[in-house]
Amino acid sequence: MLRVFGFLMVVATAQPALSDVTLGVGLLRVTTPQPATLSNLDPVPDTSGLAGAQTGLSDNLTTGKFLGQTYTLDHQTVDVSGDPLAVAQDMLKASPYLILDAPADVLLAIADLPQAQDALLFNTSASDVDLRDDNCRANLLHSIPSHAMRTDALAQVLVEKRWTDLVMIAGTYPEDIAYADAMRASLTKFGLKLSDEKTWDADADMRRTASQEIPLFTQGFGDYDALVLADEVHDFGRYILYNTWQARPVVGSEGLSAQTWSPVIEQWGAAQLQSRFADEHGRKMNSHDYAAWAAMRTLGEAVTRTNATDVGTLRAYVMSEAFELAGFKGRPLTYRAWNGQLRQPIAIAHPRALVAQAPLEGFLHQVNELDTLGIDRPESNCEAFQ
């Protein structure tokens, strides 16, 4: 019943279609070798990201059939060792709208293609802060939160809970290092700091020896309020929980985590999105799925409101104050005018329940409280959007 009501609201407030319109969208997935981890309990789905875009396509089509609007999705997958730029060039010939699931360096290379200068691209997987800062591109929007948005969200929780004596264990993979760097910056931003940190570079089989290895590894931390894990490839972190020398909360990449999307999010109509996704794909929606869904829905919402399909009109509307995306997170999602990042609340959750949603009450901002998460306008070195 709620789903029908929400749908009718979209139709009732949308501009009437002046003529039938069709929007073609491309999705390019660039696969990279995944690091070997100690456990294979959580394999990455083969359709991660793609499934989210397909659900977004279904949602667009549901609204579009009442407004004379049609959407199509062409998806291609290429290995990073292949020629993703050539594939991107071919896809841009068919459509100027491209949803990208690719590493940061490939994203920038695609965004800098001559064929992409008048296109609108969406980053749905790379959380690198630099893409929203010094290396931003005016034709590249970000529906996936940055590392800084997630670590800022977690830092707000640490402040609220008064867990101020913190230690950290960080892995050695690039994603681990990037997350650890963002966490240090977030702690400084919110008046916190690490009293100690260690690097995890052990090659022992923690599935068998965690109860012996982890207490010894963490004994030197002494007493503290919470242990931060920077293990974005989910290698060793799962074995830290309940094996530390001191019985303390674990937060970060494992334990209490700041997440783009989680199956435990059920409020604000999210249960409807969760069930639609599960019905279509037979699994739970993850963060990359959500980011791809949000990118597809961004285009659908822009077409619905403008009844246009040209890049200039849609981009101008998406970046305007008039744009809002109903993202099942309790408040409208909008794009930051200074770096193309999609503003969105960040869930603070463990695998079984939602604990909080950032920004937390009391963390105020002069313009938009969502801008307490990630790079704010005065901090931004992005000049492409000026």
Side-chain angles (χ1 to χ4, degrees), residues 88-128:
Q89 288 173 326
D90 287 341
M91 296 184 75
L92 286 167
K93 292 177 183 177
S95 171
Y97 302 105
L98 199 55
I99 298 172
L100 298 169
D101 177 357
D105 58 338
V106 178
L107 285 173
L108 292 176
I110 293 174
D112 290 339
L113 287 171
Q115 297 89 339
Q117 297 315 297
D118 296 322
L120 187 57
L121 315 175
F122 290 87
N123 164 31
T124 65
S125 60
S127 296
D128 307 64

Side-chain angles (χ1 to χ4, degrees), residues 338-382:
W338 61 90
N339 65 1
Q341 172 65 59
L342 181 64
R343 293 184 181 95
Q344 55 189 290
I346 301 295
I348 309 297
H350 61 76
R352 299 287 290 173
L354 180 68
V355 174
Q357 181 167 261
L360 275 61
E361 185 175 354
F363 289 88
L364 305 178
H365 189 275
Q366 64 270 29
V367 178
N368 188 322
E369 291 171 9
L370 289 173
D371 289 337
T372 62
L373 306 177
I375 299 175
D376 198 3
R377 185 187 292 269
E379 305 165 330
S380 175
N381 293 318
C382 176

Side-chain angles (χ1 to χ4, degrees), residues 35 128 147 171-181 232-233:
D128 307 64
H147 286 308
T172 57
Y173 290 105
E175 279 291 286
D176 302 339
I177 294 170
Y179 184 88
D181 288 342
E232 288 295 275
V233 302

